Structure formats: structure tokens, C-alpha cells
Amino acid sequence: MLHLVRQIDKLKTQLLAIGSQVEEALHNAITSIQDRNLELAQSTIDNDKLIDLAEIDLEEECLHTLALHQPVAHDLRFVIALLKINHDLERIGDLASSIAQQASFLAQESRIDVLPYDLPNMGKIAQTMLNKTLNALINQDVELAREVRKLDDQVDEIHRGMYTKTIAAMKDNPEQIDQYVHLQNVSRQLERIADHTVNIAKDVIYLVDGEIVRHAKLRQKANA
């Protein structure tokens, strides 16, 4: 039993390290967009492979834990949740790298005076969601996890309004179409980051309460 406790602690430490790396990657990616910072963008892209390697190490450690210690009850839920959270964090890292790739292009172009959507706020909300989710995981705080799900609606609203405004901006400034396409991609990637963060929040709820939140509405309809 003591060996399992130590192994669970090891998994927690690994996951929190990945979470910290992903938080930094997202922050740097958004900053590189806003500041048109080519060096920071390239650094974010280069560091993505470190997140990928950490994700592989944690997955192998989780599988090792399942095979060797055969956890049950809450410990089993914890390892299963970690496997899913680990994957979502790695995907957020990939998307942060993709945002940095957009920044690499934008850094070499003249700055657009008026953005077609509220990029600073969208980026801020996405970062807040990730931070709250990791805190919910650390503290096993279900209420904080539910707050994250509500913030996703704000990101979705900004993203939905982005298309009409971007198309209008392209028509008014055809010489800047390439930049608007890259900014459109950034919005899409931030929206996906928010979705992955919500997935993690749902896994925190599963970890603490044993409640499988994913596709709850579909299950309710099926049972009606």
C-alpha cells in the first residue's frame, strides 16, 4: 500500500510539471502574438517537444502503475483521469505551438491597427481557464472545475463573432488578407484550447465525485 501511495505522489508530481510547462507555453504563445515577438514564438515552438516527451513519460508511468499496483476505487479513478488529462495537456501544448507559428508569420508583417475580434480577452480567458483547471486538480475542487466550464461560453462567443468581423476586415483591407487568415487560425486554436481545458475540468469532477460528465445530455436523452 505504501508503494502505491508513493507511486501516486510521483504521478501527481509529473502531471503538475507538465501542467506548468503547458501554462508557460500558452502564456508565451499569446504574448508572442500580441507583441509580435519572433524570438519568443520560436522558443515556444522548440519547447513543444519537451512537453511531448513528458507526456509520453507520464503515460508510461500510468500504465506501469496499473499493471504493477492494480489500484482500485479512488486510486484507479485517479490514474484513469491522469491518462486523459495528460493527453489534453499535450494537445494544449500542441495548440500553443500552433499559435506561436502564427506569431512567427505575423511578427514579420506590419501591425494591424484594429483586430477583428477581442484577441487579448480571448487569450486571457483561455489562460485563466487553464490556471483554474490545474488548481481544481491540485485541490480536487469540483466547484472550481465547474467555473471553468462556464468560462468556456465566453470563449465560444468571441470565436463565433470572429468570422463575420474577419470577413468584413478582409474586404476592407485586402492587402492584409494573409494576416487575417492567421488571426482567424489563432481564434480557432484558442477555442480548441478552451475545449481541452473543459475536458480536464470534467475529468477533475470524475476524479473527485466519480461522475462522468462527458456527453451527459446524450445519456439523459437516451434514458428518457
Side-chain angles (χ1 to χ4, degrees):
M1 185 65 181
L2 183 59
H3 291 300
L4 177 58
V5 171
R6 289 174 178 170
Q7 184 65 17
I8 292 293
D9 286 341
K10 181 179 179 180
L11 295 177
K12 287 179 182 177
T13 300
Q14 283 185 258
L15 184 71
L16 294 179
I18 295 173
S20 179
Q21 286 178 287
V22 172
E23 270 198 293
E24 182 179 8
L26 179 57
H27 171 77
N28 289 343
I30 292 171
T31 301
S32 69
I33 283 283
Q34 293 175 339
D35 296 349
R36 304 278 178 131
N37 188 325
L38 181 58
E39 183 178 350
L40 184 59
Q42 189 58 52
S43 173
T44 304
I45 295 167
D46 293 341
N47 287 335
D48 183 53
K49 61 179 176 291
L50 300 178
I51 295 173
D52 292 341
L53 291 173
E55 186 253 350
I56 293 170
D57 287 343
L58 179 54
E59 181 175 334
E60 290 178 346
E61 202 63 43
C62 285
L63 295 176
H64 169 78
T65 302
L66 290 171
L68 185 63
H69 298 283
Q70 298 182 340
V72 296
H74 183 272
D75 290 332
L76 177 60
R77 285 211 310 268
F78 179 81
V79 178
I80 292 172
L82 247 63
L83 279 166
K84 294 192 285 185
I85 291 169
N86 184 39
H87 174 71
D88 279 308
L89 284 173
E90 188 273 336
R91 288 298 300 127
I92 293 172
D94 284 345
L95 290 164
S97 178
S98 295
I99 291 173
Q101 290 173 25
Q102 314 301 323
S104 295
F105 171 84
L106 293 169
Q108 301 175 66
E109 301 293 317
S110 59
R111 186 180 290 272
I112 293 176
D113 293 331
V114 180
L115 294 174
Y117 61 95
D118 193 351
L119 172 59
N121 190 38
M122 194 178 190
K124 182 179 179 181
I125 296 171
Q127 290 180 85
T128 299
M129 289 177 68
L130 180 57
N131 181 261
K132 282 180 176 287
T133 300
L134 293 173
N135 284 330
L137 175 62
I138 293 168
N139 300 311
Q140 298 198 13
D141 187 334
V142 170
E143 291 309 311
L144 190 58
R146 295 189 193 282
E147 284 181 27
V148 171
R149 297 180 64 193
K150 294 176 182 177
L151 285 172
D152 184 49
D153 293 337
Q154 297 179 34
V155 173
D156 289 342
E157 184 177 356
I158 295 172
H159 181 62
R160 282 194 298 270
M162 173 272 301
Y163 288 103
T164 301
K165 294 176 183 177
T166 301
I167 290 171
M170 286 178 176
K171 291 178 179 177
D172 292 339
N173 306 280
E175 73 283 358
Q176 295 177 327
I177 283 179
D178 287 345
Q179 288 200 66
Y180 286 120
V181 169
H182 283 277
L183 288 168
Q184 193 174 53
N185 289 337
V186 171
S187 178
R188 188 179 300 113
Q189 287 149 358
L190 285 172
E191 190 268 340
R192 290 175 64 193
I193 284 171
D195 286 344
H196 283 290
T197 305
V198 168
N199 287 344
I200 297 173
K202 291 177 180 178
D203 288 328
V204 171
I205 295 171
Y206 165 74
L207 170 61
V208 178
D209 289 347
E211 177 188 354
I212 300 176
V213 183
R214 296 173 193 252
H215 309 308
K217 292 182 180 179
L218 287 177
R219 289 201 304 273
Q220 289 174 359
K221 290 181 179 179
N223 296 329

